[in-house]
C-alpha cells in the first residue's frame, strides 16, 4: 500500500499510512484529498478537522491535503453528496468492510 501523507503526517500511527489495526476503533483507512465541502460537512458532524490543535501535533487540514479518514465518515459524506476524492493505492482493504467499492472507485483520483 502506498503512503497517504507525510505533510501533514496522517494515519492512526501517524506514519503516513492508512493501515488498519484492531486498536483503531475509528478505522482511519481511507486516504482522501480533503475538500472545503468535506471539511464543512465534518465540522457539522462535530469533527472540526480544519482548526489546528498544536497540543496534539495537529496542524489543521486545508483543501488539497491528503488524510486518512474514518471509513464510516467517508461513506456518510458520500451518501450526503460531499465526500472527498479517494487515493485508492493508499487506502487499506479494510475500508471495504464499511464502504462500497463502487462508491470509492467513483471518486478515485488514481484510476482512469
Amino acid at each position: 500500500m502506498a503512503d497517504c501523507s507525510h505533510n501533514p503526517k496522517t494515519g492512526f500511527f501517524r506514519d503516513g499510512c492508512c493501515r488498519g489495526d484492531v486498536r483503531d476503533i475509528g478505522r482511519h483507512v481511507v486516504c482522501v484529498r480533503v475538500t472545503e465541502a468535506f471539511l464543512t460537512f465534518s465540522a457539522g458532524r462535530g469533527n472540526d478537522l480544519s482548526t489546528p490543535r498544536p497540543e496534539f501535533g495537529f496542524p489543521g487540514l486545508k483543501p488539497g491535503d491528503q488524510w486518512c479518514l474514518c471509513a464510516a465518515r467517508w461513506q456518510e459524506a458520500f451518501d450526503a453528496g460531499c465526500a472527498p476524492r479517494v487515493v485508492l493505492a493508499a487506502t487499506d482493504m479494510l475500508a471495504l468492510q464499511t464502504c462500497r467499492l463502487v462508491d470509492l472507485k467513483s471518486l478515485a483520483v488514481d484510476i482512469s
Side-chain angles (χ1 to χ4, degrees):
M1 174 172 43
D3 288 357
C4 182
S5 176
H6 290 280
N7 187 24
K9 189 71 81 170
T10 191
F12 179 72
F13 297 101
R14 291 299 189 260
D15 61 0
C17 297
C18 299
R19 57 191 171 94
D21 184 276
V22 295
R23 295 170 285 178
D24 179 13
I25 297 167
R27 292 211 177 160
H28 296 80
V29 295
V30 181
C31 181
V32 301
R33 263 190 213 150
V34 176
T35 63
E36 188 63 44
F38 173 73
L39 290 171
T40 300
F41 174 83
S42 187
R45 297 299 189 275
N47 188 18
D48 178 2
L49 295 172
S50 59
T51 300
R53 299 290 307 265
E55 66 273 25
F56 299 116
F58 179 66
L61 300 178
K62 61 186 180 318
D65 285 343
Q66 290 193 177
W67 191 251
C68 295
L69 190 60
C70 294
R73 179 55 45 95
W74 186 87
Q75 191 65 54
E76 177 188 18
F78 182 87
D79 293 341
C82 58
R85 302 291 305 264
V86 176
V87 182
L88 287 177
T91 296
D92 194 301
M93 294 289 289
L94 286 172
L96 298 177
Q97 293 178 1
T98 305
C99 302
R100 296 180 294 267
L101 180 58
V102 66
D103 296 344
L104 291 166
K105 283 184 170 182
S106 74
L107 290 180
V109 297
D110 53 346
I111 63 172
S112 52

